[in-house]
Amino acid sequence: MNWTMLDTWIVIAGVLSACSCSVLGNFLLLRRMSMMGDAISHAVLPGLAVGFLLTGSRSSLVMFLGAAVVGVLTAVFTQWINRFGKVDEGASMGVVFTALFAVGLVLIVQAADAVDLDPGCVLYGAIETVPLDTVQLGSLSIPRAVLTLAIVFAINLGVIIVFFKEFKICAFDEELATTLGIRSAWMHYLLMTLVAVTTVASFESVGSILVIAMLIVPPATAYLLTDRLQSMILLSLGFATLSAIGGHWSAMAVPPIFGFADTNTSGMMAVVAGLLFSFAFVFSPRQGLIARFLKPKTN
Amino acid sequence: METDAPMSLNTSAKTLPATGSEHSATAPVSIHDMTVAYHRKPVLWDIDLDFPKGKLTGLVGPNGAGKSTLIKAVLDLVPKASGRVTVFGQPYQRQRHLVSYVPQRESVDWDFPVNALDVVTMGVYGKIGWFRPVRKPHRELAMAALERVGMADYARRQISHLSGGQQQRIFLARALVQDAEIYFMDEPFAGVDAATEKAIIHLLHDLRSAGKTVAVVHHDLQTVSDYFDHLIMLNMRVVAAGPTREIFNRENLRKTYGGRLSLLDQAAQAIISQS
């Protein structure tokens, strides 16, 4: 195994993408809306396609706008169907995102002759090609995806820090927030917009499957290990980083041990995240299987 | 039945005697002709009420009578089909800061990663305002509220490690820290231990002495006369509203609870034993 500059860029892209997802995922998890990340990451597809068909451009800005609009629409439609159709939230989410995803696929297939918008690429990304497309930033030549992901991560982190207490109260007790005059609906749509934009930024590099994994698995791991929200968010960022680094390393190092060629990095990132979760699940000092076995609950 | 529009039901409700449509302009909370429906099925019809200042008001009625819904509709947590709510003569939306709410304990996820102090501090988030973080003075306010409910020793404890009664007291402290004029509480006595029950009653008396207005959804008919000076008896409509000793009688109980005889007997006994 030889580690090159290319590998470093791949890992940086992976870390930024995983952290962008995880920081938002904490709030999806706590609001019991984990599947909303899944829904939005699929539903943004028609947004991308329409953005492209309308402008003929595949520039990041167009893609982000399309995604943001559809992200909010997904949240709005889900709520409408839930409220007016007497369909429970999970089911209405299922209706909305599968329909939007299907529309997106049709649009992409229609446009496919003209453009390189590849459904397969959306699903599992192409992190290995990240270092090939670079932009010049002063004297530094850095991959375009890394720059985009760095900006998205900065935005996500900034928004979560600035609105920390609002996100916290809306996740814990929406009714209290409402009686205090805090618009929980706005916070909800803000979160959905960020998820949509993050999804699109991560598509190219890690793909939508990994986005879903990174939105939920690192926060879920952190949730098992702490009982303070701040530490949960910090820990989730740590696990996201570990998954990205460990994922790329093991994609290169593990298969050759068994005589195979090295494997897909984003897949291994999800596997590492899953392993970290399993460790926490078993060894967590308070809620882990072993702790519970040794100290049975008294009340 | 379900397809009936609320409007047609409204007209039928109008034929009943009105329950005091004269509103005092200075009442802490006035509800004007409020109707609330879930999925077009009305749950509250033509509610017209004043909550008197400086009184402990009890809200009683059978399950499904709309007690919680009434509070939630006042606080804009569920939509109203018609009607409006004023607080000291002004629309509620402009007076939110004067009203605080203690929801049912089951309404939140107690496994949420926060400690008792965090939860109480949330009560001042509205005052802190956008773009400003929680600071030491805010936490000190929250700590003082925790002391008032006898929970200061548990400030740093994760909320899932608290007993039901302790969780209820955390909610009360969170309402106290808002320093409101009006308090709506949804079954604060449900499933709490004796110590908590005593602490809540003590607190209610404190609030009354300070001239605050308190409305409490209550289940236990035996304690109604002990706890509340003022009473609202509810069963989708207001059956009776007024001073407890005037309206808490056999006839109104029968009207409120209908044919549930065992419950009625229990209540009648409670009244007889007190008089």
Side-chain angles (χ1 to χ4, degrees), chain A residues 24-33 160 163-178 182-185 187-188 191 229 232-233, chain B residues 107-114 119 122 125 159 174:
Chain A
L24 304 178
N26 286 287
F27 291 96
L28 290 180
L29 183 86
L30 289 173
R31 298 189 62 160
R32 303 187 180 282
M33 297 191 347
I160 294 293
F163 296 109
F164 181 70
K165 69 179 196 305
E166 283 79 13
F167 277 120
K168 182 174 169 181
I169 194 173
C170 291
F172 177 64
D173 191 345
E174 239 180 316
E175 295 190 331
L176 175 73
T178 309
I182 295 168
R183 304 286 182 103
S184 55
M187 302 315 297
H188 179 62
L191 186 61
L229 184 54
M232 177 173 160
I233 294 173
Chain B
S107 67
V108 302
D109 169 19
W110 291 96
D111 285 326
F112 200 88
V114 285
V119 173
M122 288 181 192
Y125 280 13
I159 53 174
R174 191 179 73 175

Side-chain angles (χ1 to χ4, degrees), chain A residues 46-66:
Chain A
L48 305 185
V50 169
F52 171 76
L53 290 173
L54 285 182
T55 62
S57 136
R58 218 176 58 127
S59 80
S60 301
L61 195 65
V62 171
M63 297 288 117
F64 284 144
L65 279 178

Side-chain angles (χ1 to χ4, degrees), chain B residues 196-214:
Chain B
T196 300
E197 183 159 349
K198 221 174 265 174
I200 298 176
I201 294 165
H202 194 73
L203 193 69
L204 291 179
H205 290 162
D206 271 3
L207 289 171
R208 179 173 55 188
S209 318
K212 313 283 187 185
T213 302
V214 186

Side-chain angles (χ1 to χ4, degrees), chain B residues 28-49:
Chain B
V29 179
S30 297
I31 303 175
H32 307 259
D33 301 318
M34 183 175 79
T35 294
V36 180
Y38 276 138
H39 295 301
R40 289 177 160 197
K41 192 177 169 190
V43 282
L44 287 172
W45 293 349
D46 268 357
I47 305 293
D48 217 48
L49 276 176

Side-chain angles (χ1 to χ4, degrees), chain A:
Chain A
M1 184 175 87
N2 54 358
W3 191 279
T4 65
M5 193 59 199
L6 294 185
D7 294 304
T8 306
W9 282 127
I10 290 173
V11 166
I12 291 176
V15 168
L16 286 170
S17 162
C19 286
S20 306
C21 293
S22 291
V23 71
L24 304 178
N26 286 287
F27 291 96
L28 290 180
L29 183 86
L30 289 173
R31 298 189 62 160
R32 303 187 180 282
M33 297 191 347
S34 306
M35 294 314 285
M36 203 63 186
D38 197 345
I40 286 187
S41 62
H42 285 84
V44 290
L45 209 53
L48 305 185
V50 169
F52 171 76
L53 290 173
L54 285 182
T55 62
S57 136
R58 218 176 58 127
S59 80
S60 301
L61 195 65
V62 171
M63 297 288 117
F64 284 144
L65 279 178
V69 170
V70 180
V72 172
L73 281 182
T74 309
V76 172
F77 287 157
T78 302
Q79 250 170 7
W80 278 358
I81 295 180
N82 176 227
R83 187 177 305 163
F84 300 116
K86 286 197 199 179
V87 179
D88 92 285
E89 194 168 6
S92 34
M93 215 182 273
V95 171
V96 172
F97 93 80
T98 46
L100 285 173
F101 187 60
V103 170
L105 277 181
V106 171
L107 287 175
I108 285 186
V109 171
Q110 282 296 311
D113 297 335
V115 66
D116 168 36
L117 258 176
D118 170 18
C121 172
V122 169
L123 283 181
Y124 40 79
I127 200 169
E128 288 79 3
T129 64
V130 159
L132 303 180
D133 179 15
T134 60
V135 284
Q136 206 66 28
L137 209 71
S139 61
L140 200 68
S141 161
I142 68 168
R144 188 186 301 277
V146 169
L147 181 66
T148 316
L149 285 168
I151 294 172
V152 168
F153 178 58
I155 292 174
N156 287 358
L157 197 61
V159 170
I160 294 293
I161 289 172
V162 169
F163 296 109
F164 181 70
K165 69 179 196 305
E166 283 79 13
F167 277 120
K168 182 174 169 181
I169 194 173
C170 291
F172 177 64
D173 191 345
E174 239 180 316
E175 295 190 331
L176 175 73
T178 309
T179 62
L180 293 176
I182 295 168
R183 304 286 182 103
S184 55
W186 291 2
M187 302 315 297
H188 179 62
Y189 294 134
L190 178 58
L191 186 61
M192 293 308 123
T193 308
L194 292 179
V195 170
V197 168
T198 306
T199 307
V200 175
S202 306
F203 265 167
E204 258 188 308
S205 35
V206 297
S208 67
I209 306 244
L210 191 68
V211 168
I212 297 163
M214 287 302 142
L215 277 171
I216 299 309
V217 183
T221 313
Y223 179 77
L224 290 176
L225 296 174
T226 175
D227 46 27
R228 293 301 301 276
L229 184 54
Q230 285 97 322
S231 13
M232 177 173 160
I233 294 173
L234 290 176
L235 271 177
S236 76
L237 292 178
F239 288 126
T241 306
L242 268 180
S243 311
I245 298 172
H248 186 61
W249 177 82
S250 51
M252 291 166 69
V254 175
I257 299 174
F258 303 101
F260 297 108
D262 53 4
T263 181
N264 176 287
T265 290
S266 32
M268 282 312 285
M269 282 172 64
V271 171
V272 171
L275 283 176
L276 288 170
F277 177 83
S278 317
F279 277 124
F281 186 68
V282 175
F283 295 108
S284 160
R286 282 204 195 157
Q287 300 162 62
L289 285 182
I290 292 179
R292 267 187 282 180
F293 179 73
L294 292 178
K295 198 174 60 182
K297 254 192 174 170
T298 43
N299 48 346

Side-chain angles (χ1 to χ4, degrees), chain B residues 21-263:
Chain B
S21 52
E22 302 280 305
H23 289 284
S24 148
T26 54
V29 179
S30 297
I31 303 175
H32 307 259
D33 301 318
M34 183 175 79
T35 294
V36 180
Y38 276 138
H39 295 301
R40 289 177 160 197
K41 192 177 169 190
V43 282
L44 287 172
W45 293 349
D46 268 357
I47 305 293
D48 217 48
L49 276 176
D50 278 345
F51 288 82
K53 185 168 163 52
K55 292 266 164 62
L56 298 181
T57 300
L59 258 164
V60 296
N63 288 330
K67 306 181 294 285
S68 300
T69 307
L70 185 130
I71 293 187
K72 288 187 176 186
V74 166
L75 299 171
D76 271 353
L77 297 174
V78 299
K80 300 185 250 306
S82 65
R84 64 202 174 84
V85 172
T86 54
V87 172
F88 293 113
Q90 301 275 325
Y92 163 72
Q93 289 77 5
R94 265 192 267 160
Q95 306 274 59
R96 280 181 202 280
H97 58 285
L98 297 177
V99 186
S100 85
Y101 171 48
V102 180
Q104 287 186 19
R105 199 149 37 85
E106 299 77 39
S107 67
V108 302
D109 169 19
W110 291 96
D111 285 326
F112 200 88
V114 285
N115 62 30
L117 186 63
D118 287 331
V119 173
V120 179
T121 311
M122 288 181 192
V124 286
Y125 280 13
K127 274 193 198 109
I128 299 173
W130 296 94
F131 306 113
R132 294 208 187 85
V134 175
R135 291 192 191 287
K136 206 172 162 212
H138 306 130
R139 274 189 284 270
E140 281 166 358
L141 276 175
M143 204 61 210
L146 275 172
E147 255 158 48
R148 274 184 77 182
V149 297
M151 288 290 295
D153 293 343
Y154 299 89
R156 305 279 167 196
R157 183 148 328 170
Q158 206 271 330
I159 53 174
S160 65
H161 299 293
L162 299 169
S163 73
Q166 290 169 334
Q167 291 173 344
Q168 189 64 58
R169 282 193 260 169
I170 297 300
F171 264 9
L172 288 168
R174 191 179 73 175
L176 285 177
V177 83
Q178 294 176 42
D179 195 25
E181 287 301 313
I182 298 148
Y183 295 79
F184 284 103
M185 305 185 179
D186 200 345
E187 300 212 25
F189 294 103
V192 302
D193 52 289
T196 300
E197 183 159 349
K198 221 174 265 174
I200 298 176
I201 294 165
H202 194 73
L203 193 69
L204 291 179
H205 290 162
D206 271 3
L207 289 171
R208 179 173 55 188
S209 318
K212 313 283 187 185
T213 302
V214 186
V216 180
V217 172
H218 197 59
H219 234 106
D220 180 12
L221 292 173
Q222 313 226 23
T223 50
V224 162
S225 302
D226 289 340
Y227 292 176
F228 305 110
D229 345 289
H230 198 86
L231 195 64
I232 294 164
M233 300 174 82
L234 193 73
N235 192 350
M236 300 178 84
R237 295 190 178 83
V238 176
V239 176
T244 308
R245 72 189 123 71
E246 286 173 27
I247 66 156
F248 192 57
N249 54 39
R250 217 179 264 255
E251 195 200 336
N252 282 333
L253 277 168
R254 194 175 295 279
K255 278 193 211 156
T256 312
Y257 287 85
R260 296 172 209 206
L261 283 173
S262 60
L263 200 60

